[in-house]
Amino acid sequence: MRTGTRKRTRKRTRKKSPLTRLSLGHACVDFYQGAVPALVPFLVAERGYGYAAASGIVLAASLLSSVVQPLFGALTDRWPLPWLLPASTLVAGAGLGLAGVGDSYALTLAAVAVSGIGAAAYHPESARVARLASEGSHTAMSWFALGGNVGFAAAPLLVAPVVAVGGLGATPLLALPALVGALLCAAALRLTRAPGGAAERAVAPAGVDDRAAFLRLTLAVVCRSIVFVGLSSFVGLYVAERVGGGEPAAAVALFVLYLGGGVGTVLGGRLAGRWGRVRVVAWSYAATVFAVAGVVLVPGPAVYGFVAAVSAALYVPFSLQVTLAQDYLPNRIGTASGVTLGLTVTVGGVATPLIGAAADATSLRTALLPLIVLPAVAWLLARRLPEPDAGPRVAEKAEVDA
């Protein structure tokens, strides 16, 4: 009896171990996507950039990433490319490490663009491998997504002291998490090749692709992305402007924004188990409308509470959207993952120059007002989505290690 219990325990440990390493590696990669907005207040202070110029930095990190991410997804649909996980992590770190070197605005744009491409290459393949390791569990995928949230949350806490002490020239130190992330990804891939590992199980195509539902979901994701990236780009400056405190207040606001996402991500997986993914996604967008309105319109330190509420509400649907997209496109899981998992943190950067230009012309508060409307649009799109059949099928002999 004890022997059987020990065997079951070892089996559960083998299943969890790759996903744990993948989640930690995800944190290391998404650290770099959170680090770009965290650098913005320092670029404004040290180089005198205006709102439009600062938002251009976020655009550079997002634009190429948004374009190439679906391409990487299409590639991983045809050929498993597990080596992309450690390689893309190193590229993301190298790009950000060069972002503060020299005073050239063009070099800064190029460096953050390279970092964004690294993140774009990482997400479709990592979501495919994580889906295998989780065996299609929505709750397990929420823990994988949580890793990314933790990376986002850690970014302002690490970027602020490094750059505050060493100036923008100290950004090469920020490449160190990429080394850790690459090692974690390599270790996770080794475990998926082990006997009994995730390489023996794959999510098989199961049914016909529902492109109409996927398109509606993608449009909702785009609305969410613009809100989240717009707030993450400017909420630090906005909160510092509203409550005072300068750069430390900006770093705290970003930390609250990203940390609240961790709570929302885990909560989303649990709520979906009871109420269904589509219903939870739609409710979360309805709640986001009121939370964003509080950030923009409510005065005083209460803004921090609304920042946390926005973060939680935006991240409740985060991992659920990934598994929904994969179920809507069961024959194109890489593409579905690249669009939903990656697009959520990249395409919003395309809209940030418009927010920055509006802020330069009017005020930052006025420029942020349209962000109240977008979650309502996402709610209208999400509430009519179909709920896919529960659970993907599991097949033998995956090609994770191909």
Side-chain angles (χ1 to χ4, degrees):
M1 198 65 183
R2 289 181 180 178
T3 302
T5 302
R6 284 197 295 269
K7 286 182 178 179
R8 287 192 296 271
T9 301
R10 285 196 297 269
K11 187 176 181 181
R12 285 194 298 267
T13 301
R14 284 197 301 268
K15 289 180 180 180
K16 292 180 180 179
S17 189
L19 191 63
T20 299
R21 285 164 173 76
L22 286 170
S23 299
L24 293 172
H26 193 191
C28 293
V29 172
D30 278 11
F31 165 80
Y32 294 105
Q33 294 186 316
V36 174
L39 279 175
V40 167
F42 295 97
L43 291 168
V44 170
E46 190 168 322
R47 296 183 180 176
Y49 293 157
Y51 288 128
S55 61
I57 301 294
V58 180
L59 174 63
S62 304
L63 184 58
L64 282 176
S65 182
S66 298
V67 172
V68 304
Q69 197 139 205
L71 299 180
F72 280 111
L75 285 175
T76 59
D77 282 333
R78 297 193 63 180
W79 306 286
L81 301 172
W83 58 267
L84 270 179
L85 271 62
S88 59
T89 302
L90 293 173
V91 170
L96 191 81
L98 294 173
V101 176
D103 295 326
S104 169
Y105 184 69
L107 176 61
T108 301
L109 291 176
V112 297
V114 168
S115 184
I117 291 173
Y122 171 86
H123 282 101
E125 181 67 3
S126 68
R128 187 185 72 86
V129 176
R131 183 177 173 91
L132 301 180
S134 68
E135 300 184 24
S137 166
H138 307 318
T139 301
M141 282 296 290
S142 74
W143 285 104
F144 171 70
L146 176 63
N149 300 342
V150 171
F152 263 98
L157 297 182
L158 294 178
V159 169
V162 168
V163 181
V165 173
L168 291 173
T171 55
L173 294 174
L174 299 175
L176 293 177
L179 299 176
V180 177
L183 293 174
L184 287 166
C185 290
L189 292 173
R190 282 197 299 271
L191 287 169
T192 61
R193 300 186 183 107
E200 295 183 1
R201 301 176 298 275
V203 178
V208 179
D209 292 341
D210 188 344
R211 297 183 180 181
F214 178 74
L215 177 59
R216 288 198 297 272
L217 177 65
T218 299
L219 292 174
V221 167
V222 168
C223 292
R224 176 210 179 273
S225 176
I226 293 172
V227 174
F228 181 77
V229 179
L231 284 177
S232 65
S233 300
F234 295 108
V235 74
L237 296 171
Y238 185 63
V239 169
E241 180 183 287
R242 293 277 301 278
V243 303
E247 292 167 0
V252 170
L254 279 172
F255 175 71
V256 170
L257 181 70
Y258 297 154
L259 187 63
V263 177
T265 300
V266 176
L267 186 62
R270 295 182 179 277
L271 291 175
R274 180 172 183 179
W275 301 104
R277 286 173 290 173
V278 170
R279 183 179 296 182
V280 171
V281 167
W283 285 353
S284 68
Y285 284 132
T288 302
V289 175
F290 300 100
V292 175
V295 171
V296 178
L297 301 175
V298 175
V303 68
Y304 287 108
F306 284 106
V307 169
V310 166
S311 179
L314 284 175
Y315 268 99
V316 162
F318 186 72
S319 65
L320 306 181
Q321 290 170 158
V322 177
T323 58
L324 278 172
Q326 291 173 337
D327 287 344
Y328 291 148
L329 296 184
N331 302 295
R332 294 177 176 81
I333 287 177
T335 299
S337 303
V339 170
T340 51
L341 183 61
L343 201 67
T344 52
V345 289
T346 56
V347 75
V350 177
T352 54
L354 299 177
I355 299 173
D360 285 335
T362 56
S363 68
L364 188 52
R365 181 180 185 180
T366 301
L368 294 177
L369 283 173
L371 299 185
I372 301 173
V373 178
L374 289 172
V377 176
W379 171 74
L380 291 172
L381 290 164
R383 63 192 295 265
R384 294 186 177 276
L385 288 171
E387 184 72 55
D389 293 336
R393 291 186 299 168
V394 176
E396 296 295 320
K397 298 181 181 178
E399 297 181 6
V400 179
D401 55 341

